Structures are given as structure tokens and as C-alpha cells.
Amino acid sequence: QVFKRSSMHLAPLLRRSWSTIEAAMSCVKTANRTHSCGELRLANVGNQVTLCGWVQVARDMNHFSFVDVRDRYGITQVVFPKEGADEAGLKRYEASNKLGREFVIKVSGKVVERSNKNANRPTGEVEVIAESLEVLNSSNTPPFKIEDITDGQEETRMRYRYLDIRRNPIKEALLLRNKITRLVRNHLGDRDFCEIETPVLIKSTPEGARDFVVPSRMNPGQFYALPQSPQTFKQLLMVAGMDRYFQIVKCFRDEELRADRQPEFTQIDCEMSFVAQEDILREFEDMIRLIFKEVVQHELPPFERMEYTDAMDRFGIDKPDLRFNMELVDITGAAKGRDFKIFDEAEIVIAMCCKGLAEWSGKKLKELEKTATGQESGASALIWMKYLNDGSFDCSAKKFFSDEQYKVWVEKANAKPGGCEPGDLLCIFAGPKLKTQEAMGKFRHLMGTELGLRSGGFKALWVVNFPMLEWDEDGGRFDAKHHPFTSPWTEDIERMISLDKKDPRLAEIRA
């Protein structure tokens, strides 16, 4: 998801010290250029330089013209004087006025200090007075603006992908990915992991998704499969004694698209021998903390460990966002027995406090009900209770409940971080335990986003001790909670083998 962020979010991730930038810039000198377009500073004043790049914008000011020349590294302003120019200078001035957007040019000249500095540009204290101009390639007018905020539709930008990559948000996403992969390789290499490439054309293996298949010309009627993951190969490498393996690898799954799924994706694939769970958590916690430190300059503290059951009971999701409270409150005992069918027939009744929403209008609450019962959350119904500022209550099921019950609900909510105070809104789901928890967990994240509680900071944790299996209602059997290659706890293996394949106690086997 990070690659979809705007340049406003990505720019801080790529900031480096000037000494680091200088070291990198020294590598860009070639036969055609002396410097990049993002390199020149006051220390370069008086230098003769040659730049190559794309024309971002050209402006004729009558007495002179400005041309902003752009490459991957930045933008430099080049000036083509008219007043006092000799015949060659006038020709350069005229030629500069014929430059269009995205022309590729080579320009040489002298670096001078700018009189009107641009504090928003790293090269904004200097400019280059042009002494030669060569058009390396002309360009048609681009179909959209090559700017951070563009007027191009996604379909157009994908059609002209080479133009879209010139924009900072896309370029910086690629550079960010490059920085992270280099950090990963260096870190794992230092930990004695061996990077090994595995085959791409393989036979199909059962991994839970559909394979992409590739026909074989040499073997008519037979097909290769593209790997959903290198699972079989990394296990082979462990059996072969390679001990520590990693690979930044492409995986392919022929499935319907959604927000977090596409036909091909890249994963950091690892395997280790002779380890326990804590060894793996510690190894990759160190890697994640390094990435955050180097890329976003954020020191993550040691990760919290949270049991899967605690995560589901407190947050309704196995990847909870801990940057805000809004923990789930089990009010089952205090909600049943009032002849309210939705609660009385439910396995569990869960509430969640949304701070400051008691003043929401009926229209807003109708929209909230649609959100709760929509595809993103999946609740069967939303019951709400307002704890008004004057201490009174209102409820969408007030026919069945009194202030006495509402006060008990509030008391239970007050046992959670953040509590429930006058002015707050309790949102309540009811139904089968796991399904209701999951619906409330998704709803919690949606409300956290709606209320602006998920926009800043970082909070990392490990959720551990997941169940090995989960019951599939449609199939009438237990399936792997994650994938069929997950191993049960050693202590649970004998118990797992001894139970009938439909025994409900199989849900207690830990992975």
C-alpha cells in the first residue's frame, strides 16, 4: 500500500543527508553531463557545467527566457539571456522559446547565484546561464501534466506509463522500493542468509489458489504452472542443508482482483532450519525495525506480543491498529433477556464506543448503519446507543431497554481504555461469535479512518498463536486457517491426530 501514497507522504521517506547525496551524485557524471539536475548548490557557483534532462517548463520573459530542466534527481533553472547577447546568444534565446514540454535537451553554461531564490527547490539558490543548447529529442505535447498532481486519468497514465514514471509520486515509490530491497538484502546477507533463485516454470502444487499455466511448445498438450510461492523449493533447500535462505521473489495467483490482491506480487521469502517461533520473530523484527529506522527515521520499540484470542476479543481482527482505542466490549450478559430477538438469539453481543458521536444526526446514523451492514464490514445489523451530554440516553432499540441497562453497558465500556462518557456513541453488533467479532473489527478500522485516528505514527506488534484450522461452513469441514503448509505446535500434534476430522476441538489446535 505504501506505493500508492502521494508524493507528500513519500518525500520524507527518501530524505538523505547532503553528504550521502554528494557521494551518490559523483556517480552520475558521464561523457554527456558533468552534473545531475538536482545536484548544483552555492558551492558550485562559477563552475562550468553540462546538464541533460527533460524540459519541465519554458517561459519567455522578453528580456530572457527560463527553462526548468528535470531529471530523476531534481530540477535546475537555466537562463537564456537576450539583452546584451551576441549573435550565438540570440540564437540560443530563440531556440529556447521553441522548446516544448518534455523535450530532451543538453545544455552547458556557468553556475551563478540566483537573485530571487526558490526555497522550495534544493537547487533554488543557483541557476545556469546557458552557453550552448542541443535538442536531443523533441516531444509531442504530453497527454497529461508531468506534475505531482496531474490531470491524467488512470487509464491514460497506464497507457503512457513511461511518462507517468517521470512524475515524483511514481518515481519516488520506485526509489523507495529500491531502498527497501537493498536494506533487506544487506541485512539478511549480514545474518548469513543465502539468496537463492528458484525456478519459475514448475509443475502445479496445491496452495489454495488457481495457477497461471504456460503451454509447453516442446511437450504439446502439457503445461507449466507459475509459482504461487517458492514453498516447495525452500523446504527442499532446508532438507538440503542450506540452513538460511531468502529470496525477493515474484509470485503468481490467478484470482479475482481486490484491493490487496493482484495477479503478480513480490514477497520477501525466507526459510530457516533448527529454529523455534521466537527465533523467527526476533530475526525479522530486527529487519523491520532497521527498515523503519533507515527509511522513515523512526525508532520502533521492541514489538508487543499479542495472543490471537486477545486480538479477536479486544479488536475483532488479527491485525489490529493499536494507534487508537475503541476496544470491543462484550455486553452479552447485560444485553440478553429483554425480549429483543437480535440480542437474545445471538451467541455474542459486542459494543464499541465512538468518541464524540452522540450528537450525530439521524441522517448520519442512517449512513453509519449502511456502513456497518455493507460489504466492507458485513454486520447483520447495527444497534446504537447515545450517551448524551446531559447524561440521558437514546437508543435505536429503546422499546426494549431502559436507563438501567444502558448504565450497565456504559460501566462495561468504561473498563476499556478510553471508556464511554457523555457525548459518546455505543455501536453494537450481535450474532455468531467469530463472524460478529470480525465484522466489528472491520467496522472499527473504518470508523478509525472516518474519525482521523489512523493517519499518523507507527505501532508494531506480533499477533501469535493463531489457530491451525478454521471451520468452513460451505465445505462442511475444517480448512487451514492460513495455508496448508503451516505446522501445528509440537505439543498439539498427538491431540490433533486423535480427534475426529469434524471434532469442534480441532479449532483449539495452535499453529
PDB file of all heavy atoms in Angstrom, residues 238-262:
ATOM      1  N   MET A 238      15.947 -26.446   2.712  1.00  0.00           N
ATOM      2  CA  MET A 238      16.202 -26.733   4.117  1.00  0.00           C
ATOM      3  C   MET A 238      16.612 -28.193   4.300  1.00  0.00           C
ATOM      4  O   MET A 238      17.550 -28.520   5.037  1.00  0.00           O
ATOM      5  CB  MET A 238      14.970 -26.414   4.968  1.00  0.00           C
ATOM      6  CG  MET A 238      14.601 -24.939   5.029  1.00  0.00           C
ATOM      7  SD  MET A 238      15.946 -23.859   5.609  1.00  0.00           S
ATOM      8  CE  MET A 238      16.587 -23.230   4.053  1.00  0.00           C
ATOM      9  N   VAL A 239      15.911 -29.087   3.595  1.00  0.00           N
ATOM     10  CA  VAL A 239      16.275 -30.515   3.652  1.00  0.00           C
ATOM     11  C   VAL A 239      17.679 -30.720   3.104  1.00  0.00           C
ATOM     12  O   VAL A 239      18.432 -31.587   3.570  1.00  0.00           O
ATOM     13  CB  VAL A 239      15.249 -31.361   2.866  1.00  0.00           C
ATOM     14  CG1 VAL A 239      15.683 -32.812   2.807  1.00  0.00           C
ATOM     15  CG2 VAL A 239      13.864 -31.247   3.500  1.00  0.00           C
ATOM     16  N   ALA A 240      18.058 -29.874   2.137  1.00  0.00           N
ATOM     17  CA  ALA A 240      19.394 -29.979   1.541  1.00  0.00           C
ATOM     18  C   ALA A 240      20.489 -29.393   2.418  1.00  0.00           C
ATOM     19  O   ALA A 240      21.671 -29.484   2.079  1.00  0.00           O
ATOM     20  CB  ALA A 240      19.400 -29.269   0.179  1.00  0.00           C
ATOM     21  N   GLY A 241      20.094 -28.774   3.547  1.00  0.00           N
ATOM     22  CA  GLY A 241      21.093 -28.278   4.491  1.00  0.00           C
ATOM     23  C   GLY A 241      21.561 -26.851   4.249  1.00  0.00           C
ATOM     24  O   GLY A 241      22.586 -26.445   4.797  1.00  0.00           O
ATOM     25  N   MET A 242      20.823 -26.048   3.462  1.00  0.00           N
ATOM     26  CA  MET A 242      21.249 -24.665   3.211  1.00  0.00           C
ATOM     27  C   MET A 242      21.028 -23.764   4.426  1.00  0.00           C
ATOM     28  O   MET A 242      21.536 -22.654   4.474  1.00  0.00           O
ATOM     29  CB  MET A 242      20.531 -24.101   1.990  1.00  0.00           C
ATOM     30  CG  MET A 242      20.898 -24.796   0.676  1.00  0.00           C
ATOM     31  SD  MET A 242      22.686 -24.850   0.394  1.00  0.00           S
ATOM     32  CE  MET A 242      23.067 -23.110   0.231  1.00  0.00           C
ATOM     33  N   ASP A 243      20.246 -24.199   5.383  1.00  0.00           N
ATOM     34  CA  ASP A 243      20.089 -23.603   6.706  1.00  0.00           C
ATOM     35  C   ASP A 243      19.358 -22.260   6.717  1.00  0.00           C
ATOM     36  O   ASP A 243      18.387 -22.098   7.439  1.00  0.00           O
ATOM     37  CB  ASP A 243      21.445 -23.435   7.408  1.00  0.00           C
ATOM     38  CG  ASP A 243      21.274 -23.178   8.884  1.00  0.00           C
ATOM     39  OD1 ASP A 243      20.802 -24.101   9.579  1.00  0.00           O
ATOM     40  OD2 ASP A 243      21.574 -22.060   9.345  1.00  0.00           O
ATOM     41  N   ARG A 244      19.834 -21.273   5.948  1.00  0.00           N
ATOM     42  CA  ARG A 244      19.174 -19.953   5.938  1.00  0.00           C
ATOM     43  C   ARG A 244      19.050 -19.480   4.493  1.00  0.00           C
ATOM     44  O   ARG A 244      20.071 -19.263   3.825  1.00  0.00           O
ATOM     45  CB  ARG A 244      19.960 -18.933   6.759  1.00  0.00           C
ATOM     46  CG  ARG A 244      19.939 -19.219   8.242  1.00  0.00           C
ATOM     47  CD  ARG A 244      20.627 -18.127   9.037  1.00  0.00           C
ATOM     48  NE  ARG A 244      20.289 -18.265  10.445  1.00  0.00           N
ATOM     49  CZ  ARG A 244      20.126 -17.237  11.275  1.00  0.00           C
ATOM     50  NH1 ARG A 244      20.301 -16.005  10.837  1.00  0.00           N
ATOM     51  NH2 ARG A 244      19.805 -17.439  12.536  1.00  0.00           N
ATOM     52  N   TYR A 245      17.823 -19.316   4.054  1.00  0.00           N
ATOM     53  CA  TYR A 245      17.556 -18.948   2.659  1.00  0.00           C
ATOM     54  C   TYR A 245      16.657 -17.717   2.613  1.00  0.00           C
ATOM     55  O   TYR A 245      15.794 -17.531   3.479  1.00  0.00           O
ATOM     56  CB  TYR A 245      16.868 -20.111   1.944  1.00  0.00           C
ATOM     57  CG  TYR A 245      15.794 -19.705   0.951  1.00  0.00           C
ATOM     58  CD1 TYR A 245      16.090 -19.469  -0.395  1.00  0.00           C
ATOM     59  CD2 TYR A 245      14.464 -19.552   1.369  1.00  0.00           C
ATOM     60  CE1 TYR A 245      15.093 -19.096  -1.293  1.00  0.00           C
ATOM     61  CE2 TYR A 245      13.467 -19.188   0.472  1.00  0.00           C
ATOM     62  CZ  TYR A 245      13.778 -18.950  -0.848  1.00  0.00           C
ATOM     63  OH  TYR A 245      12.800 -18.579  -1.740  1.00  0.00           O
ATOM     64  N   PHE A 246      16.872 -16.862   1.609  1.00  0.00           N
ATOM     65  CA  PHE A 246      15.888 -15.822   1.342  1.00  0.00           C
ATOM     66  C   PHE A 246      15.892 -15.521  -0.145  1.00  0.00           C
ATOM     67  O   PHE A 246      16.819 -15.842  -0.880  1.00  0.00           O
ATOM     68  CB  PHE A 246      16.168 -14.551   2.159  1.00  0.00           C
ATOM     69  CG  PHE A 246      17.105 -13.574   1.499  1.00  0.00           C
ATOM     70  CD1 PHE A 246      16.601 -12.484   0.785  1.00  0.00           C
ATOM     71  CD2 PHE A 246      18.490 -13.724   1.580  1.00  0.00           C
ATOM     72  CE1 PHE A 246      17.449 -11.571   0.179  1.00  0.00           C
ATOM     73  CE2 PHE A 246      19.339 -12.816   0.976  1.00  0.00           C
ATOM     74  CZ  PHE A 246      18.823 -11.742   0.270  1.00  0.00           C
ATOM     75  N   GLN A 247      14.805 -14.885  -0.577  1.00  0.00           N
ATOM     76  CA  GLN A 247      14.659 -14.502  -1.967  1.00  0.00           C
ATOM     77  C   GLN A 247      13.593 -13.415  -2.059  1.00  0.00           C
ATOM     78  O   GLN A 247      12.554 -13.510  -1.410  1.00  0.00           O
ATOM     79  CB  GLN A 247      14.231 -15.733  -2.795  1.00  0.00           C
ATOM     80  CG  GLN A 247      14.124 -15.473  -4.277  1.00  0.00           C
ATOM     81  CD  GLN A 247      13.651 -16.698  -5.049  1.00  0.00           C
ATOM     82  OE1 GLN A 247      13.626 -16.684  -6.258  1.00  0.00           O
ATOM     83  NE2 GLN A 247      13.265 -17.759  -4.366  1.00  0.00           N
ATOM     84  N   ILE A 248      13.873 -12.360  -2.793  1.00  0.00           N
ATOM     85  CA  ILE A 248      12.854 -11.361  -3.115  1.00  0.00           C
ATOM     86  C   ILE A 248      12.254 -11.808  -4.436  1.00  0.00           C
ATOM     87  O   ILE A 248      12.862 -11.654  -5.493  1.00  0.00           O
ATOM     88  CB  ILE A 248      13.459  -9.945  -3.179  1.00  0.00           C
ATOM     89  CG1 ILE A 248      14.069  -9.590  -1.821  1.00  0.00           C
ATOM     90  CG2 ILE A 248      12.409  -8.919  -3.578  1.00  0.00           C
ATOM     91  CD1 ILE A 248      14.809  -8.273  -1.781  1.00  0.00           C
ATOM     92  N   VAL A 249      11.062 -12.399  -4.363  1.00  0.00           N
ATOM     93  CA  VAL A 249      10.592 -13.257  -5.443  1.00  0.00           C
ATOM     94  C   VAL A 249       9.209 -12.863  -5.932  1.00  0.00           C
ATOM     95  O   VAL A 249       8.369 -12.377  -5.171  1.00  0.00           O
ATOM     96  CB  VAL A 249      10.587 -14.731  -4.953  1.00  0.00           C
ATOM     97  CG1 VAL A 249       9.622 -14.909  -3.797  1.00  0.00           C
ATOM     98  CG2 VAL A 249      10.247 -15.690  -6.076  1.00  0.00           C
ATOM     99  N   LYS A 250       8.989 -13.077  -7.233  1.00  0.00           N
ATOM    100  CA  LYS A 250       7.676 -12.876  -7.838  1.00  0.00           C
ATOM    101  C   LYS A 250       6.799 -14.108  -7.592  1.00  0.00           C
ATOM    102  O   LYS A 250       7.255 -15.242  -7.739  1.00  0.00           O
ATOM    103  CB  LYS A 250       7.805 -12.659  -9.345  1.00  0.00           C
ATOM    104  CG  LYS A 250       8.266 -11.270  -9.752  1.00  0.00           C
ATOM    105  CD  LYS A 250       7.145 -10.262  -9.598  1.00  0.00           C
ATOM    106  CE  LYS A 250       7.567  -8.896 -10.151  1.00  0.00           C
ATOM    107  NZ  LYS A 250       6.519  -7.889  -9.878  1.00  0.00           N
ATOM    108  N   CYS A 251       5.532 -13.860  -7.251  1.00  0.00           N
ATOM    109  CA  CYS A 251       4.551 -14.922  -7.077  1.00  0.00           C
ATOM    110  C   CYS A 251       3.344 -14.617  -7.958  1.00  0.00           C
ATOM    111  O   CYS A 251       3.033 -13.452  -8.216  1.00  0.00           O
ATOM    112  CB  CYS A 251       4.119 -15.028  -5.614  1.00  0.00           C
ATOM    113  SG  CYS A 251       5.482 -15.345  -4.480  1.00  0.00           S
ATOM    114  N   PHE A 252       2.666 -15.668  -8.404  1.00  0.00           N
ATOM    115  CA  PHE A 252       1.582 -15.507  -9.368  1.00  0.00           C
ATOM    116  C   PHE A 252       0.356 -16.281  -8.903  1.00  0.00           C
ATOM    117  O   PHE A 252       0.446 -17.467  -8.589  1.00  0.00           O
ATOM    118  CB  PHE A 252       2.012 -16.027 -10.747  1.00  0.00           C
ATOM    119  CG  PHE A 252       3.310 -15.434 -11.242  1.00  0.00           C
ATOM    120  CD1 PHE A 252       4.526 -16.026 -10.915  1.00  0.00           C
ATOM    121  CD2 PHE A 252       3.319 -14.297 -12.025  1.00  0.00           C
ATOM    122  CE1 PHE A 252       5.733 -15.503 -11.357  1.00  0.00           C
ATOM    123  CE2 PHE A 252       4.507 -13.752 -12.477  1.00  0.00           C
ATOM    124  CZ  PHE A 252       5.715 -14.350 -12.144  1.00  0.00           C
ATOM    125  N   ARG A 253      -0.799 -15.605  -8.883  1.00  0.00           N
ATOM    126  CA  ARG A 253      -2.043 -16.266  -8.493  1.00  0.00           C
ATOM    127  C   ARG A 253      -3.175 -15.778  -9.390  1.00  0.00           C
ATOM    128  O   ARG A 253      -3.422 -14.577  -9.467  1.00  0.00           O
ATOM    129  CB  ARG A 253      -2.359 -15.994  -7.019  1.00  0.00           C
ATOM    130  CG  ARG A 253      -1.310 -16.619  -6.110  1.00  0.00           C
ATOM    131  CD  ARG A 253      -1.535 -16.354  -4.647  1.00  0.00           C
ATOM    132  NE  ARG A 253      -0.410 -16.888  -3.870  1.00  0.00           N
ATOM    133  CZ  ARG A 253      -0.282 -16.758  -2.552  1.00  0.00           C
ATOM    134  NH1 ARG A 253      -1.187 -16.117  -1.861  1.00  0.00           N
ATOM    135  NH2 ARG A 253       0.770 -17.275  -1.937  1.00  0.00           N
ATOM    136  N   ASP A 254      -3.831 -16.710 -10.046  1.00  0.00           N
ATOM    137  CA  ASP A 254      -4.890 -16.378 -10.996  1.00  0.00           C
ATOM    138  C   ASP A 254      -6.211 -16.275 -10.239  1.00  0.00           C
ATOM    139  O   ASP A 254      -7.024 -17.199 -10.238  1.00  0.00           O
ATOM    140  CB  ASP A 254      -4.965 -17.456 -12.083  1.00  0.00           C
ATOM    141  CG  ASP A 254      -5.937 -17.083 -13.192  1.00  0.00           C
ATOM    142  OD1 ASP A 254      -6.380 -15.921 -13.215  1.00  0.00           O
ATOM    143  OD2 ASP A 254      -6.239 -17.950 -14.032  1.00  0.00           O
ATOM    144  N   GLU A 255      -6.409 -15.137  -9.576  1.00  0.00           N
ATOM    145  CA  GLU A 255      -7.600 -14.932  -8.765  1.00  0.00           C
ATOM    146  C   GLU A 255      -8.241 -13.589  -9.095  1.00  0.00           C
ATOM    147  O   GLU A 255      -7.607 -12.716  -9.696  1.00  0.00           O
ATOM    148  CB  GLU A 255      -7.245 -14.973  -7.275  1.00  0.00           C
ATOM    149  CG  GLU A 255      -6.742 -16.327  -6.804  1.00  0.00           C
ATOM    150  CD  GLU A 255      -6.575 -16.369  -5.300  1.00  0.00           C
ATOM    151  OE1 GLU A 255      -6.026 -15.407  -4.740  1.00  0.00           O
ATOM    152  OE2 GLU A 255      -6.998 -17.355  -4.692  1.00  0.00           O
ATOM    153  N   GLU A 256      -9.499 -13.417  -8.672  1.00  0.00           N
ATOM    154  CA  GLU A 256     -10.181 -12.156  -8.876  1.00  0.00           C
ATOM    155  C   GLU A 256      -9.436 -11.038  -8.145  1.00  0.00           C
ATOM    156  O   GLU A 256      -8.913 -11.236  -7.048  1.00  0.00           O
ATOM    157  CB  GLU A 256     -11.629 -12.231  -8.364  1.00  0.00           C
ATOM    158  CG  GLU A 256     -12.545 -13.122  -9.205  1.00  0.00           C
ATOM    159  CD  GLU A 256     -12.330 -14.610  -8.943  1.00  0.00           C
ATOM    160  OE1 GLU A 256     -11.624 -14.939  -7.968  1.00  0.00           O
ATOM    161  OE2 GLU A 256     -12.854 -15.432  -9.712  1.00  0.00           O
ATOM    162  N   LEU A 257      -9.419  -9.857  -8.741  1.00  0.00           N
ATOM    163  CA  LEU A 257      -8.701  -8.732  -8.162  1.00  0.00           C
ATOM    164  C   LEU A 257      -9.489  -8.123  -7.013  1.00  0.00           C
ATOM    165  O   LEU A 257     -10.705  -8.149  -6.983  1.00  0.00           O
ATOM    166  CB  LEU A 257      -8.435  -7.676  -9.228  1.00  0.00           C
ATOM    167  CG  LEU A 257      -7.642  -8.125 -10.461  1.00  0.00           C
ATOM    168  CD1 LEU A 257      -7.422  -6.942 -11.387  1.00  0.00           C
ATOM    169  CD2 LEU A 257      -6.315  -8.736 -10.061  1.00  0.00           C
ATOM    170  N   ARG A 258      -8.775  -7.566  -6.038  1.00  0.00           N
ATOM    171  CA  ARG A 258      -9.360  -6.771  -4.977  1.00  0.00           C
ATOM    172  C   ARG A 258      -8.268  -5.830  -4.480  1.00  0.00           C
ATOM    173  O   ARG A 258      -7.168  -5.796  -5.032  1.00  0.00           O
ATOM    174  CB  ARG A 258      -9.921  -7.639  -3.860  1.00  0.00           C
ATOM    175  CG  ARG A 258      -8.895  -8.477  -3.120  1.00  0.00           C
ATOM    176  CD  ARG A 258      -9.556  -9.432  -2.139  1.00  0.00           C
ATOM    177  NE  ARG A 258      -8.579 -10.074  -1.277  1.00  0.00           N
ATOM    178  CZ  ARG A 258      -8.813 -11.162  -0.584  1.00  0.00           C
ATOM    179  NH1 ARG A 258      -9.993 -11.736  -0.653  1.00  0.00           N
ATOM    180  NH2 ARG A 258      -7.871 -11.693   0.188  1.00  0.00           N
ATOM    181  N   ALA A 259      -8.579  -5.067  -3.429  1.00  0.00           N
ATOM    182  CA  ALA A 259      -7.649  -4.014  -3.001  1.00  0.00           C
ATOM    183  C   ALA A 259      -6.266  -4.551  -2.648  1.00  0.00           C
ATOM    184  O   ALA A 259      -5.258  -3.900  -2.917  1.00  0.00           O
ATOM    185  CB  ALA A 259      -8.243  -3.257  -1.811  1.00  0.00           C
ATOM    186  N   ASP A 260      -6.196  -5.740  -2.038  1.00  0.00           N
ATOM    187  CA  ASP A 260      -4.906  -6.266  -1.597  1.00  0.00           C
ATOM    188  C   ASP A 260      -4.481  -7.490  -2.407  1.00  0.00           C
ATOM    189  O   ASP A 260      -3.701  -8.300  -1.929  1.00  0.00           O
ATOM    190  CB  ASP A 260      -4.963  -6.622  -0.106  1.00  0.00           C
ATOM    191  CG  ASP A 260      -6.020  -7.684   0.194  1.00  0.00           C
ATOM    192  OD1 ASP A 260      -6.840  -7.967  -0.701  1.00  0.00           O
ATOM    193  OD2 ASP A 260      -6.036  -8.207   1.311  1.00  0.00           O
ATOM    194  N   ARG A 261      -5.000  -7.628  -3.643  1.00  0.00           N
ATOM    195  CA  ARG A 261      -4.635  -8.800  -4.442  1.00  0.00           C
ATOM    196  C   ARG A 261      -4.495  -8.400  -5.904  1.00  0.00           C
ATOM    197  O   ARG A 261      -5.308  -7.664  -6.437  1.00  0.00           O
ATOM    198  CB  ARG A 261      -5.712  -9.879  -4.309  1.00  0.00           C
ATOM    199  CG  ARG A 261      -5.431 -11.134  -5.134  1.00  0.00           C
ATOM    200  CD  ARG A 261      -6.608 -12.091  -5.075  1.00  0.00           C
ATOM    201  NE  ARG A 261      -6.740 -12.684  -3.744  1.00  0.00           N
ATOM    202  CZ  ARG A 261      -7.856 -13.237  -3.302  1.00  0.00           C
ATOM    203  NH1 ARG A 261      -8.938 -13.242  -4.058  1.00  0.00           N
ATOM    204  NH2 ARG A 261      -7.899 -13.774  -2.093  1.00  0.00           N
ATOM    205  N   GLN A 262      -3.450  -8.879  -6.537  1.00  0.00           N
ATOM    206  CA  GLN A 262      -3.249  -8.667  -7.966  1.00  0.00           C
ATOM    207  C   GLN A 262      -2.617  -9.937  -8.547  1.00  0.00           C
ATOM    208  O   GLN A 262      -2.160 -10.797  -7.798  1.00  0.00           O
ATOM    209  CB  GLN A 262      -2.376  -7.444  -8.208  1.00  0.00           C
ATOM    210  CG  GLN A 262      -1.032  -7.481  -7.515  1.00  0.00           C
ATOM    211  CD  GLN A 262      -0.313  -6.148  -7.609  1.00  0.00           C
ATOM    212  OE1 GLN A 262      -0.924  -5.097  -7.692  1.00  0.00           O
ATOM    213  NE2 GLN A 262       1.006  -6.190  -7.616  1.00  0.00           N
TER     214      GLN A 262
END
